[in-house]
Amino acid sequence: MTVLPDGKPDTEPKEKQSGPDGKPGRNPDEAEGKTGGKAGAAADGAAAGAAVPVAGGLPEFAGRWAGAVAGASGLALLLVSTRYGFQGDELYFLGAGQHLDWGYADQPALLPLLARVIDAVSGGSLFALRLLPALLTVAGVLVAALIAREFGGARRAQLLTAAAYGFAPAVLISGHALSTMAVDLFLWTTVNWLLIRWVRTREDRLLLWSGLATALALQGKYLIVGFWLVAAVAVWVAGPREMLRRKPLWIGAAVAVVTSLPGLIWQARHDWPQLEMSGVLADEKILGGRAGFLPYLIVLSGGVFTVVLVYGLVRLVRAPHLAPYRFLAWTFLGLTAVFLVTGGRPAYVVGVFAPLWAAGAVELARGGGARWWRWLAAWPVVALTALVCVALSLPVYPVSQVTKTEQPANNPMTAETLRWPNLIDAVEKAYRTLPADARKRAVVVTQYYEEAGAVDHFGADRGLPDAYSGHRGYWYFGAPSDSSGPVLYVGSDVAKLKPYFSSVRKAARAAGGPGESYVDGVPVWVLDGRKQPWSQIWKDYGHLS
């Protein structure tokens, strides 16, 4: 049977044991006979803050079972991957991919590069674009199960952790569309696994690998810097401080810094728009802002899976045998406090969910917690929770029924995936009202970057001009040519451009339909008789909000 770090047996007998190298190890009962000896010494060492070895090596990795859970999660994502349509940020990544650079106003370079490669290889396939986040989710499920194994969890604990990761709303939402969150979530989870494994084994190469994973994460989003700052403080306070003295950790940090230099230089040359973006996002108060932060965090972690997470947090803080891993709990709490105070989004802390789920699952598998907690972790309840999370997070409903469900409240991005072709219809309608010679010199300017991405992606097949926008990253792609003609302006806020033109008329409006859509009723204007060159207008036209 599996003997846990405190010397107590897991509830699952006859699990095969393997050592840290994956080879079969001794049965802990045969090796020690009782819960004293090495197992008892491990518990004593835990109280002193030392690493906690699992007697007889780690439990066998439940790869087939965890793989089945991962496959079910991935299948759910792929079955609905082409429903409704492109998400607004995906269209932006595709547009940014046509303007490859070392950095962008709102992100580093990785996502636009990935979007361009996938789009070029697949010929514009939405399924292909969303295959990558689905695969990252599948891989993340397996890594989460490995974290439970590191904590001494046998098959039951590994499967519960895998189910929590694979079907929590936060993971399903991020895995449905190509997004910075999809990449971040997998890499943060991987970094946590490497740190947890280092605590147990003291294999310094794991710290180097964590630095390399961080270097990759920094190409998608800079948030992981916050994770490391808070984690370093937590390690210094709660231990193991030895981690901070290991040379490979700092070699990995140096690699992360060096590989981020091109993006940081881009930010410096453009007056650090990424820093300004933090304030913009806080001011948007999405999902209720600070008041909605904790409630939505509960929604993102997923009902019963929230119970597992909270129990894992409590046990990491209080259990003596988990003392070497206590820094994980304080990292989660610290990050939550930082983003709550600064107006960050709840999704920013999802990357540290996996260790809490794993700790909670392992402790529940031991028979810990109140009886009703253990009942909530029973497989029928877990399966039902997974189905509910799918229904709340993924586009499983007919479009006509979406607004009659709780999905838009749970996943606000739903409204950004509907009826983009209707917007392109309106732009094309306005475009056709122009005389033939004017159409040759016409340009499209949009209020928001999502609309510009949509025109760039869908408009080429209809002969529409390239799109420009003053919003966020699109402003940095440049202004229309000074020799260009009339403007097709997409958006309701035409007042900012109106003074620069002698003629302004509304030419079309995007049609609505069933369900709530981001583009319903968006007007398209024709602006003509430009009074100043675009090179002058564009200087004051950019905006991040």
Side-chain angles (χ1 to χ4, degrees), residues 1-4 8-13 152-155 157 362 365-366:
M1 64 180 169
T2 303
V3 179
L4 296 167
K8 296 182 180 179
D10 197 345
T11 56
E12 297 179 52
R155 185 175 64 194
V362 170
R366 296 176 57 236

Side-chain angles (χ1 to χ4, degrees), residues 228-305:
W228 276 108
L229 291 176
V230 175
V233 173
V235 169
W236 179 258
V237 173
R241 293 183 182 180
E242 181 185 351
M243 180 191 297
L244 302 178
R245 296 192 293 267
R246 295 299 180 118
K247 185 181 296 185
L249 178 70
W250 297 104
I251 294 175
V255 171
V257 170
V258 169
T259 55
S260 299
L261 282 178
L264 294 175
I265 292 172
W266 187 96
Q267 289 288 328
R269 287 178 174 174
H270 294 84
D271 298 324
W272 301 98
Q274 184 75 63
L275 296 178
E276 187 178 347
M277 273 298 303
S278 300
V280 169
L281 294 176
D283 291 340
E284 286 181 349
K285 297 181 179 179
I286 292 178
L287 302 170
R290 292 180 177 88
F293 189 97
L294 293 178
Y296 194 61
L297 199 61
I298 294 173
V299 171
L300 287 177
S301 54
V304 168
F305 302 140

Side-chain angles (χ1 to χ4, degrees), residues 141-447:
V141 172
L142 299 176
V143 175
L146 286 171
I147 292 176
R149 179 175 180 255
E150 287 295 322
F151 286 150
R155 185 175 64 194
R156 180 185 175 192
Q158 293 177 36
L159 291 186
L160 179 54
T161 305
Y165 187 102
F167 290 96
V171 181
L172 292 174
I173 292 171
S174 71
H176 175 59
L178 183 66
S179 65
T180 55
M181 184 179 171
V183 176
D184 243 23
L185 180 55
F186 169 70
L187 291 173
W188 281 44
T189 302
T190 300
V191 168
N192 274 281
W193 170 61
L194 292 168
L195 294 180
I196 291 166
R197 188 168 177 83
W198 178 86
V199 170
R200 184 181 62 82
T201 66
R202 294 303 199 264
E203 294 181 15
D204 285 353
R205 62 179 179 174
L206 298 169
L207 297 179
L208 178 59
W209 280 109
S210 72
L212 299 180
T214 299
L216 183 57
L218 286 169
Q219 300 305 310
K221 208 176 185 71
Y222 292 122
L223 275 178
I224 199 167
V225 173
F227 164 80
W228 276 108
L229 291 176
V230 175
V233 173
V235 169
W236 179 258
V237 173
R241 293 183 182 180
E242 181 185 351
M243 180 191 297
L244 302 178
R245 296 192 293 267
R246 295 299 180 118
K247 185 181 296 185
L249 178 70
W250 297 104
I251 294 175
V255 171
V257 170
V258 169
T259 55
S260 299
L261 282 178
L264 294 175
I265 292 172
W266 187 96
Q267 289 288 328
R269 287 178 174 174
H270 294 84
D271 298 324
W272 301 98
Q274 184 75 63
L275 296 178
E276 187 178 347
M277 273 298 303
S278 300
V280 169
L281 294 176
D283 291 340
E284 286 181 349
K285 297 181 179 179
I286 292 178
L287 302 170
R290 292 180 177 88
F293 189 97
L294 293 178
Y296 194 61
L297 199 61
I298 294 173
V299 171
L300 287 177
S301 54
V304 168
F305 302 140
T306 305
V307 175
V308 179
L309 184 146
V310 171
Y311 187 58
L313 175 65
V314 171
R315 295 303 292 162
L316 280 169
V317 170
R318 297 181 59 183
H321 61 275
L322 291 176
Y325 307 103
R326 192 157 292 159
F327 73 94
L328 298 166
W330 294 117
T331 299
F332 169 79
L333 293 172
L335 280 172
T336 300
V338 167
F339 291 129
L340 183 59
V341 170
T342 59
R345 296 179 177 177
Y348 292 172
V349 299
V350 173
V352 291
F353 276 8
L356 307 186
W357 277 324
V362 170
E363 294 292 283
L364 287 172
R366 296 176 57 236
R371 180 175 297 179
W372 69 272
W373 284 51
R374 298 195 298 275
W375 179 83
L376 283 175
W379 284 114
V381 179
V382 171
L384 179 61
T385 301
L387 291 174
V388 171
C389 289
V390 168
L392 290 175
S393 307
L394 297 180
V396 296
Y397 303 101
V399 174
S400 60
Q401 301 299 312
V402 171
T403 53
K404 300 177 182 179
T405 72
E406 294 297 321
Q407 187 180 99
N410 194 48
N411 182 4
M413 290 192 297
T414 299
E416 291 188 31
T417 62
L418 300 175
R419 289 193 288 281
W420 288 109
N422 287 12
L423 181 70
I424 306 306
D425 289 342
V427 176
E428 184 179 16
K429 179 180 178 181
Y431 181 66
R432 300 302 173 195
T433 67
L434 299 175
D437 59 335
R439 286 201 296 267
K440 295 178 182 179
R441 297 186 301 112
V443 296
V444 177
V445 178
T446 70
Q447 182 174 350

Side-chain angles (χ1 to χ4, degrees), residues 7 26 62 65 71 103 127 208 213 232-233 271 320 337 371 411 459 468-469 476 529 533:
R26 296 177 299 168
W65 293 92
F127 179 86
L208 178 59
V233 173
D271 298 324
R371 180 175 297 179
N411 182 4
Y468 300 84
S469 178
Y476 294 85

